[in-house]
Amino acid sequence: GAGVSQSPRYKVAKRGQDVALRCDPISGHVSLFWYQQALGQGPEFLTYFQNEAQLDKSGLPSDRFFAERPEGSVSTLKIQRTQQEDSAVYLCASSLVETNSEQYFGPGTRLTVT
Amino acid sequence: DQQVKQNSPSLSVQEGRISILNCDYTNSMFDYFLWYKKYPAEGPTFLISISSIKDKNEDGRFTVFLNKSAKHLSLHIVPSQPGDSAVYFCAADYGGSQGNLIFGKGTKLSVKP
């Protein structure tokens, strides 16, 4: 079956531009997570949805980051006024239940801010 | 302050031998642990997990051991194969109402033919 898909795979943005990153989770998966992975680091949690409800956004680094999942399936991570420090791989993951369950990751979107 | 630590950035092993990847954690509230494998330009792929009520879980060539008193887990790969060459991430889950995983920085495993 289809796994988690993300688009675009690569994005180059000039500093100050807004970007939108899309995630299509595995069908039927209740939980959806966004992570940020800097070079040489492990993924770091950004935000978590259970269906359409955003239950935890404690990992979002600033108010320039915004995520939504309006119908409980596809999710979009938006970054406004991008800065160079936003350059990273943004990973989306989904899981069948919210905890104690393996999360399935998409291939990620590599964002480069110039 | 890292809650999940993988202190070896890299490991090189001969094909057919055992690979042992280590992970330490600091938070005793973690109750579920996972290992992920990651190839370049791909997302992490789930490998194996273990609940805190167990001390061992085995799946084919992969075995994870958990030592709760030492807050230490390890992944054993036997026998190692060149296709196992990847970055391995250890991750921990708080359980309860929080679902996000806390990852280590990863260990790059190279299996040489």
Side-chain angles (χ1 to χ4, degrees), chain A residues 9-10 33 35 37 40-43 45 48 56 91 98-103 105-107, chain B residues 31-32 34 36 38 41-44 46 89 93 95-101 103-105:
Chain A
R9 290 294 312 276
Y10 303 91
F33 304 83
Y35 292 86
Q37 185 175 17
Q41 304 294 314
F45 170 75
Y48 157 54
D56 187 348
L91 293 163
E98 68 268 17
T99 189
N100 285 8
S101 171
E102 52 266 31
Q103 295 179 16
F105 283 81
Chain B
D31 68 353
Y32 192 70
L34 308 92
Y36 282 83
K38 186 181 184 304
E42 294 184 11
F46 170 74
F89 290 99
D93 186 343
S97 61
Q98 290 180 270
N100 56 291
L101 298 177
F103 284 85
K105 289 187 176 184

Side-chain angles (χ1 to χ4, degrees), chain A residues 25-80:
Chain A
I26 293 173
S27 178
H29 277 196
V30 168
S31 299
L32 185 146
F33 304 83
W34 283 98
Y35 292 86
Q36 180 190 60
Q37 185 175 17
L39 194 63
Q41 304 294 314
E44 291 195 2
F45 170 75
L46 293 177
T47 187
Y48 157 54
F49 291 86
Q50 186 175 334
N51 296 307
E52 69 279 2
Q54 189 175 20
L55 297 187
D56 187 348
K57 52 183 181 179
S58 62
L60 295 177
S62 77
D63 58 7
R64 296 185 296 103
F65 287 70
F66 171 77
E68 59 184 4
R69 193 187 185 197
E71 297 177 358
S73 56
V74 171
S75 177
T76 304
L77 176 67
K78 297 178 180 177
I79 309 173
Q80 297 176 325

Side-chain angles (χ1 to χ4, degrees), chain A residues 35 99-100 103, chain B residues 3-6 23-27 29-36 50 66 73 89-95 98-104:
Chain A
Y35 292 86
T99 189
N100 285 8
Q103 295 179 16
Chain B
Q3 297 189 72
V4 176
K5 299 178 185 178
Q6 293 177 258
C23 178
D24 297 292
Y25 62 96
T26 58
N27 195 328
M29 297 298 289
F30 291 141
D31 68 353
Y32 192 70
F33 302 89
L34 308 92
W35 284 94
Y36 282 83
I50 187 166
L66 175 62
L73 63 155
F89 290 99
C90 170
D93 186 343
Y94 286 108
Q98 290 180 270
N100 56 291
L101 298 177
I102 310 297
F103 284 85

